[in-house]
Amino acid sequence: MQGSLLMLAALGLFAVLDTNSKLLSASYPVAQVVLIRQGTMLLLLLLARLLRPGAGGPLATAHPGLHLLRAAGMLGSAIGFFQALREIPLAEGYLVYFTAPFMTLGLAALALGERPPRAVWLWSGVGFLGVLVAMAPGLSAGGSPLAYAYALLGTASYAVVLTVNRGLRHEPGIARLILWSALPGGMVLAPFALAGWVPPSPADWLALALNGVFAGLATICLAGAFRRASVAQLAPLEFSALLWAMLADLAIWGTLPGLATLAGGAIVVAACVMSQRARRTPSGATGTA
């Protein structure tokens, strides 16, 4: 249960992060927003270690390649979703993102040797069908294919992050997770951010910095979840993020979900529940390492 609760906490934090990013996307370029996010995470880590030396564990790692792959995945996820949410509602972006469990199960099977029960694959496929049901009206009405492509890029990148998190589950400490994700990403983005820099207002500086706080807390929760539970257990919980997205769309932008979105959401939530039940059955349970 600890892994599942941490996963749900991470999803809630990511929903707040994405909502904040969508609000900022109207005024600031993606490179600037993500650079300040990464810089805030590094600053908080530095302050924590100044106040308490060694806080968060060691910075060195025995798996630099995996950490760099994780950093690339986080960067692709941040850019993909930021660009997608410029044009489409949060709930629609999240429905594309719900293909992540399907991708993650495949990556975990190939890279980590985790073989989920066949029923988990089946219900993940049903969840993907729900995504298609919800997306169909927007695509048929001429919705931006590029926005959906960005959402798909963010989703595939996020699936890589989830899989690498599971692969690094035996490496304790959060300091290295933040350092090895924020520093390489910041170095890549810095030239682009400086070239298109838009001076933020004091209120926007706060919103931009909060992006880093939300991202840092979500990173910690996500890593903790994958140290305690398998991909098969955690991946289907991604579907719960739809509720956060619908609430944010309604509360901030006044966007009511259409019938197709509600129907697709109902399908993916049902798939989430049934996948969890299938995972717990004695005939198909998988152990966690």
Side-chain angles (χ1 to χ4, degrees):
M1 287 300 296
Q2 287 183 349
S4 296
L5 290 174
L6 283 169
M7 186 67 174
L8 291 172
L11 292 171
L13 287 163
F14 277 128
V16 176
L17 171 66
D18 289 335
T19 301
N20 191 37
S21 296
K22 184 173 175 63
L23 291 169
L24 291 168
S25 68
S27 305
Y28 300 97
V30 59
Q32 180 177 345
V33 173
V34 180
L35 177 64
I36 295 175
R37 177 192 303 177
Q38 308 283 40
T40 302
M41 293 170 64
L42 289 172
L43 179 60
L44 291 174
L45 175 62
L46 175 62
L47 290 174
R49 292 177 76 87
L50 287 175
L51 293 172
R52 184 184 174 187
L59 298 175
T61 176
H63 307 285
L66 282 179
H67 279 280
L68 290 176
L69 178 60
R70 183 177 177 278
M74 291 187 69
L75 193 60
S77 179
I79 293 173
F81 281 113
F82 187 93
Q83 294 294 92
L85 295 177
R86 283 180 182 270
E87 300 184 41
I88 59 178
L90 200 62
E92 286 192 27
Y94 270 42
L95 285 168
V96 179
Y97 152 87
F98 286 152
T99 58
F102 192 79
M103 297 180 188
T104 305
L105 289 171
L107 288 173
L110 290 173
L112 305 178
E114 293 190 0
R115 305 293 179 182
R118 291 183 179 179
V120 173
W121 287 101
L122 171 64
W123 288 113
S124 291
V126 172
F128 181 71
L129 175 63
V131 173
L132 296 180
V133 169
M135 284 175 52
L139 290 174
S140 63
S144 171
L146 183 60
Y148 289 112
Y150 271 124
L152 189 59
L153 167 65
T155 299
S157 299
Y158 182 64
V160 170
V161 173
L162 294 181
T163 306
V164 174
N165 280 347
R166 181 64 178 161
L168 291 170
R169 64 191 181 278
H170 297 307
E171 194 173 64
I174 60 171
R176 59 166 62 93
L177 288 177
I178 294 175
L179 177 70
W180 284 81
S181 61
L183 186 58
M187 292 172 65
V188 170
L189 289 173
F192 302 98
L194 294 175
W197 189 267
V198 177
S201 66
D204 284 352
W205 265 117
L206 176 60
L208 288 162
L210 284 174
N211 248 10
V213 175
F214 298 141
L217 291 174
T219 296
I220 293 169
C221 291
L222 198 62
F226 277 86
R227 287 195 180 112
R228 292 166 172 82
S230 69
V231 169
Q233 177 182 345
L234 297 178
L237 294 177
E238 301 284 346
F239 297 134
S240 66
L242 178 62
L243 300 176
W244 293 101
M246 287 182 176
L247 288 173
D249 278 337
L250 179 60
I252 298 175
W253 293 280
T255 303
L256 288 169
L259 291 177
T261 301
L262 292 174
I267 293 172
V268 295
V269 170
C272 175
V273 173
M274 295 305 295
S275 179
Q276 288 289 290
R277 290 184 62 183
R279 187 192 60 81
R280 293 191 181 100
T281 56
S283 61
T286 56
T288 61

